C-alpha cells in the first residue's frame, strides 16, 4: 500500500530557503516575495483603474520576464553549489528577481519624473456654484523621493538574493543591468506608441471601449479627482441642509 503513494513535490513559486536563526535571512526571504506582490498590485490596478499606462507597464514587465527566461536558457549558468544541493531548480544567470525589480523601479522613476505631467490647477475653483478646495499636486521633490524609495527597495531585493545564496554577485549585477536596459527600451517603445497616435487608435477599438480602457493617469491625479467628487457631494449636501 505504501508503495502506491505518489511522492509530493514543492511548488517553488514562493518556496524560499532561509536561515531561521538569522533575522536578516528572514527579512531577505520576505523581500524575495516582492515580485509576486507586484504582480498582484499590477492586476489590481489594471482591474480597478482600467488605465492604459498600467496595462503598458504590466506588458513590459511580462516581456522582461520572458527575456529573462530566454537568457537563462541561453547562458545556462548554474546557481551557487550549496543552493543546488538544497534541490533548487533552474539556472542562475541572470537573476530574475534583480531583473524584475530593476525594471519596475526604473519604470516607476521614468513615469514619475519624465512622463507624468499633471496639469496645473487653481487653488480654488467653481464647481456648480461651490467654492473649490486646495489641490496639492506632487512636486518634483515628492516624485523624486518616491522614485528613490522604489529604487532602494529594488536594491534591497537584489541584495537579498546574494545574502540568501541564491545567486552570485555577477548574476545579480547582470540581472539588474538587464532590467534597467529593458525598462529604458520599453519606455522608448511606449513613447513612440504614444507619439505616433497608436495608443489613441487602440483605445478607440471596440474591445478597448468594452473594457473601458482610458488614458488619464499621465495628466491627472486620479486619487485627487475622486476626492474632489466626494468633497463636492459633501458640500452640496451641507448646503441643502442649511437651505
Amino acid at each position: 500500500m505504501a508503495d502506491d503513494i505518489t511522492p509530493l513535490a514543492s511548488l517553488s513559486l514562493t518556496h524560499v530557503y532561509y536561515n531561521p536563526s538569522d533575522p536578516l535571512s528572514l527579512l531577505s526571504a520576505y523581500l524575495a516575495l516582492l515580485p509576486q506582490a507586484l504582480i498582484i498590485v499590477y492586476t489590481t490596478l489594471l482591474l480597478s483603474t482600467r488605465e492604459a499606462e498600467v496595462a503598458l507597464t504590466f506588458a513590459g514587465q511580462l516581456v522582461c520576464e520572458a527575456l529573462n527566461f530566454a537568457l537563462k536558457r541561453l547562458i545556462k549558468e548554474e546557481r551557487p553549489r550549496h543552493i543546488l544541493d538544497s534541490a533548487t531548480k533552474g539556472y542562475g544567470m541572470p537573476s530574475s528577481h534583480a531583473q524584475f525589480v530593476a525594471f519596475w523601479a526604473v519604470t516607476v522613476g521614468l513615469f514619475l519624473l519624465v512622463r507624468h505631467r499633471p496639469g496645473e490647477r487653481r487653488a480654488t475653483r467653481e464647481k456648480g456654484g461651490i467654492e473649490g478646495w486646495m489641490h496639492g499636486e506632487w512636486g518634483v521633490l515628492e516624485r523624486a523621493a518616491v522614485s528613490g524609495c522604489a529604487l532602494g527597495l529594488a536594491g534591497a531585493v537584489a541584495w537579498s538574493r546574494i545574502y540568501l545564496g541564491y545567486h552570485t554577485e555577477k548574476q545579480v549585477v547582470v540581472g539588474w543591468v538587464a532590467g534597467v536596459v529593458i525598462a529604458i527600451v520599453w519606455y522608448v517603445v511606449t513613447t513612440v506608441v504614444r507619439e505616433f497616435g497608436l495608443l489613441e487608435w487602440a483605445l478607440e477599438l471596440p474591445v478597448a471601449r468594452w473594457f473601458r480602457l482610458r488614458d488619464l493617469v499621465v495628466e491627472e491625479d486620479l486619487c485627487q479627482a475622486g476626492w474632489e467628487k466626494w468633497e463636492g457631494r459633501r458640500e452640496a449636501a451641507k448646503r441643502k441642509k442649511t437651505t
Side-chain angles (χ1 to χ4, degrees):
M1 180 66 70
D3 295 337
D4 296 333
I5 299 177
T6 302
L8 298 179
S10 172
L11 182 62
S12 61
L13 184 63
T14 58
H15 192 69
V16 183
Y17 288 101
Y18 72 97
N19 182 357
S21 62
D22 182 359
L24 278 179
S25 184
L26 176 60
L27 175 61
S28 297
Y30 280 113
L31 286 172
L33 301 179
L34 182 63
Q36 287 89 341
L38 287 175
I39 290 294
I40 296 173
V41 171
Y42 276 127
T43 306
T44 302
L45 284 175
L46 186 57
L47 292 176
S48 60
T49 68
R50 310 299 175 94
E51 277 290 332
E53 183 66 20
V54 176
L56 289 173
T57 304
F58 192 19
Q61 193 78 72
L62 295 179
V63 169
C64 183
E65 280 295 283
L67 290 175
N68 180 267
F69 182 87
L71 285 172
K72 280 186 173 181
R73 281 146 187 81
L74 179 65
I75 300 172
K76 297 183 179 180
E77 182 173 300
E78 299 290 353
R79 295 176 184 269
R81 175 53 54 187
H82 64 281
I83 286 294
L84 288 174
D85 293 340
S86 300
T88 297
K89 298 179 181 180
Y91 297 114
M93 172 66 86
S95 166
S96 58
H97 276 73
Q99 186 170 322
F100 188 107
V101 294
F103 177 92
W104 167 74
V106 172
T107 299
V108 168
L110 287 173
F111 172 75
L112 290 177
L113 298 175
V114 183
R115 177 165 290 168
H116 189 46
R117 302 184 302 274
E120 295 295 331
R121 294 169 180 257
R122 291 173 297 177
T124 57
R125 64 185 183 183
E126 294 296 318
K127 294 179 73 68
I130 305 173
E131 187 180 78
W133 41 86
M134 294 299 295
H135 177 98
E137 295 282 6
W138 273 9
V140 175
L141 291 179
E142 289 90 346
R143 283 182 270 166
V146 173
S147 301
C149 288
L151 195 62
L153 182 58
V157 173
W159 165 84
S160 73
R161 304 307 289 169
I162 300 173
Y163 192 81
L164 290 173
Y166 276 83
H167 294 282
T168 64
E169 290 86 349
K170 183 177 70 172
Q171 291 171 353
V172 167
V173 170
V174 172
W176 183 273
V177 172
V180 170
V181 171
I182 295 170
I184 294 173
V185 171
W186 190 255
Y187 180 83
V188 172
V189 169
T190 54
T191 298
V192 170
V193 167
R194 287 179 172 279
E195 292 297 327
F196 282 84
L198 297 177
L199 178 60
E200 184 178 356
W201 169 80
L203 291 177
E204 290 296 329
L205 295 176
V207 63
R209 302 283 296 173
W210 190 84
F211 280 107
R212 299 182 183 180
L213 295 179
R214 49 188 179 261
D215 188 31
L216 291 174
V217 73
V218 172
E219 297 179 353
E220 291 287 338
D221 183 341
L222 297 185
C223 291
Q224 183 68 17
W227 175 253
E228 289 174 354
K229 291 179 181 179
W230 168 247
E231 286 294 286
R233 183 180 298 178
R234 289 179 67 249
E235 292 294 332
K238 288 180 183 179
R239 284 177 171 269
K240 188 175 181 180
K241 288 180 180 180
T242 57
T243 56

